[in-house]
């Protein structure tokens, strides 16, 4: 991300890592951003994991919001009691699913 933790990113691969901006994420606060990805279809499943950070991976929670053709949303939350400024790395994988 270039300017903030809410800046959209583009990564046209079925798996990879997204390095978030190191802007401060206040305690008990969430932020979301769009991932533009041409490999994603609306019925695909997106899996996320957080790499360990300076503050520790357990102080963040990440989840997927809406999935559409070409995009998905990621939200991240600071679970700690402190404001944190980590360049968190979120790994993702797209599981291709067939509509039935």
């Amino acid at each position: 991300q270039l300017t903030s933790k809410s800046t959209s990113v583009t990564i046209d691969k079925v798996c990879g890592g997204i390095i978030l901006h190191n802007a401060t994420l206040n305690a008990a606060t969430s932020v979301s951003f769009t991932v533009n990805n041409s490999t994603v279809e609306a019925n695909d499943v997106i899996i996320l994991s957080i790499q360990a950070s300076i503050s520790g991976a357990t102080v963040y929670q990440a989840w997927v919001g809406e999935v559409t053709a070409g995009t998905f949303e990621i939200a991240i939350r600071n679970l700690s009691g402190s404001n944190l400024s980590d360049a968190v790395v979120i790994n993702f994988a797209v599981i291709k699913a067939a509509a039935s």
Side-chain angles (χ1 to χ4, degrees), residues 7-95:
T7 302
S8 296
V9 300
T10 300
I11 183 167
D12 294 321
K13 298 181 179 186
V14 294
C15 62
I18 300 166
I19 303 170
L20 302 188
H21 192 274
N22 64 351
T24 300
L25 184 57
N26 292 336
T29 301
S30 300
V31 66
S32 63
F33 62 95
T34 300
V35 178
N36 298 297
N37 187 320
S38 62
T39 71
V40 174
E41 297 298 329
N43 58 337
D44 290 345
V45 177
I46 313 298
I47 303 296
L48 303 177
S49 67
I50 300 173
Q51 284 186 18
S53 65
I54 294 169
S55 299
T58 57
V59 297
Y60 294 101
Q61 179 182 36
W63 64 94
V64 176
E66 185 176 32
V67 178
T68 62
T71 68
F72 59 95
E73 295 288 321
I74 293 178
I76 186 165
R77 183 169 182 81
N78 175 352
L79 300 174
S80 78
S82 302
N83 298 343
L84 301 174
S85 299
D86 295 317
V88 179
V89 178
I90 299 177
N91 295 319
F92 74 93
V94 178
I95 299 175

